[in-house]
Amino acid sequence: MPATMRDVAKLAGVSVKTVSNVVNDTYPYIRPETRARVEAAMEDLDYRLNVTARKLRTNRTNLIGLALPELRLPYFAELADEVIRKAADVGLKVIVEQVEASEHVAVESLVGSHTHLVDGAIVAPVGHGDVLSRSAPPGFPVVVLGDHRISDEVDQVFLANARGAELVVEHLISRGARRIVALGADPGVAVGTAGERTRGYLNTMERHGILPDDRLIRSTDGWSKAAGAAVIRDLAAEGVEFDAVFGFNDTLALGALAELLRGGTRVPEDVQVMGFDDIDDAQYSVPALSTVAVDRAQLAELAVGILVRRLRAEADGAPRRDAAAPAGEKVRSGDAAGAAVRDAIEVPPRLVLRGSTR
């Protein structure tokens, strides 16, 4: 039979209530030596908390769902790590699900079979899919990590993707580039990661009076290193000249950088290369990759903070207007009569210049 809380209490020589306080972290004044005895007893007995039973008692599991696409890509793996860390700081654990591509995303599909186990969810839809807030169970808080502002029905933290792309292209043009490859572009859509970054690229080229060459606007099958390298090989085979590459994520840019160097192209003397996201690997390429920094720790802290405030508001019995977001953030909110006020926080981009640009 699995160990119970009563078994742990007996082995540790404490009350069941003390064990409950340690397990649920609901009483901060437990003596360190008492906590250590309880934790040692839990380990000896291989005690596992029954989260379903806890939810029946308290309507809380202290678990949240995190739904992200393409966890094999470093950016999303690093983002998941940050969310898990920030959630742990406030006593929450995280169940991770991988999101599949869909034009409209139902919350139940994002947190899958764990919907009944988690208190809320942080979700990132693929591409330009919108999260359907009405598909969430009643009272189930959802925070969207998105690429653009969506409806006022859901809390969201979103990236200034178009602005980030503008910063990249502005910098490359200021360093003499005129034929810039848009690597990973999707000119057919207006929103979503690829669409937003394509718009920033095109708008900046137009603003400088540079007519974009359609041969330089390249979509890819995925945003992997292999896809980035393949585009560079294709451009060489087609005889298309270019003096800069803007990878729409760092992984694409790193693949392009490797292929350029293998072919004898000097970076940045002959071709400059920039990415987007500032993943950990960007600073370790040779030359190190210039990119746009996305503060994943800030994204995670904002998303977890909103979710925690929603859970507290629900526990208080009524939705409320939350305090302003941290200084420097742009906050917009819906204010329909009788509806909860929703947060919409835009996180600004920042250029990080390294050896792959002049």
Side-chain angles (χ1 to χ4, degrees), residues 169-187:
V169 179
E170 287 279 0
H171 180 74
L172 291 172
I173 291 174
S174 75
R175 295 300 186 270
R178 293 297 181 269
R179 295 186 57 77
I180 304 170
V181 177
L183 181 56
D186 190 351

Side-chain angles (χ1 to χ4, degrees), residues 26-328:
T26 53
Y27 187 72
Y29 304 111
I30 295 175
R31 288 182 296 179
E33 57 269 26
T34 302
R35 182 181 294 274
R37 287 208 315 275
V38 171
E39 291 173 346
M42 290 168 61
E43 185 174 350
D44 288 346
L45 295 172
D46 194 27
Y47 173 78
R48 295 291 182 269
L49 178 65
N50 186 330
V51 295
T52 302
R54 180 166 71 181
K55 186 152 192 176
L56 288 173
R57 292 194 309 272
T58 67
N59 201 34
R60 286 285 183 270
T61 63
N62 290 338
L63 298 174
I64 62 172
L66 172 63
L68 296 171
E70 297 188 87
L71 289 169
R72 63 183 176 181
L73 291 180
Y75 171 79
F76 291 112
E78 292 171 19
L79 179 58
D81 178 74
E82 291 291 352
V83 171
I84 291 168
R85 290 174 185 273
K86 298 302 180 183
D89 288 344
V90 293
L92 299 174
K93 293 188 179 297
V94 180
I95 295 175
V96 180
E97 290 277 345
Q98 182 160 294
V99 185
E100 298 299 330
S102 175
E103 183 177 356
H104 298 293
V105 184
V107 170
E108 286 95 333
S109 70
L110 293 176
V111 292
S113 59
H114 304 304
T115 305
H116 67 291
L117 290 178
V118 297
D119 299 328
I122 298 170
V123 301
V126 174
H128 57 285
D130 280 345
V131 172
L132 302 180
S133 59
R134 61 183 175 274
S135 68
F140 187 85
V142 175
V143 179
V144 177
L145 287 177
D147 300 305
H148 63 291
R149 176 77 186 273
I150 55 177
S151 72
D152 289 332
E153 297 178 0
V154 65
D155 292 306
Q156 55 203 291
V157 180
F158 58 100
L159 304 177
N161 271 292
R163 179 57 184 152
E166 291 171 1
L167 291 176
V168 169
V169 179
E170 287 279 0
H171 180 74
L172 291 172
I173 291 174
S174 75
R175 295 300 186 270
R178 293 297 181 269
R179 295 186 57 77
I180 304 170
V181 177
L183 181 56
D186 190 351
V189 299
V191 295
T193 305
E196 292 276 312
R197 295 178 190 180
T198 302
R199 178 164 58 86
Y201 166 88
L202 292 173
N203 288 348
T204 308
M205 296 287 278
E206 181 181 357
R207 190 163 57 248
H208 285 270
I210 302 173
L211 184 64
D213 185 340
D214 288 344
R215 296 176 298 172
L216 299 178
I217 301 174
R218 296 283 175 145
S219 60
T220 56
D221 184 13
W223 281 11
S224 65
K225 292 178 184 176
V231 168
I232 299 303
R233 288 195 298 271
D234 290 344
L235 289 168
E238 296 166 18
V240 178
E241 295 183 357
F242 55 95
D243 53 20
V245 176
F246 170 24
F248 279 24
N249 75 347
D250 287 342
T251 310
L252 281 169
L254 289 169
L257 175 63
E259 188 64 28
L260 287 166
L261 296 174
R262 272 196 294 265
T265 300
R266 297 177 304 164
V267 177
E269 295 84 354
D270 300 328
V271 174
Q272 301 180 75
V273 180
M274 291 194 72
F276 200 118
D277 291 337
D278 195 25
I279 63 173
D280 289 344
D281 286 348
Q283 61 185 307
Y284 297 110
S285 63
V286 181
L289 183 66
S290 294
T291 184
V292 174
V294 175
D295 192 335
R296 288 175 291 282
Q298 183 186 32
L299 284 173
E301 185 172 9
L302 288 168
V304 171
I306 292 172
L307 195 63
V308 168
R309 293 198 302 272
R310 292 295 170 227
L311 290 170
R312 288 174 180 167
E314 182 188 347
D316 290 345
R320 64 170 182 258
R321 181 180 295 276
D322 294 316

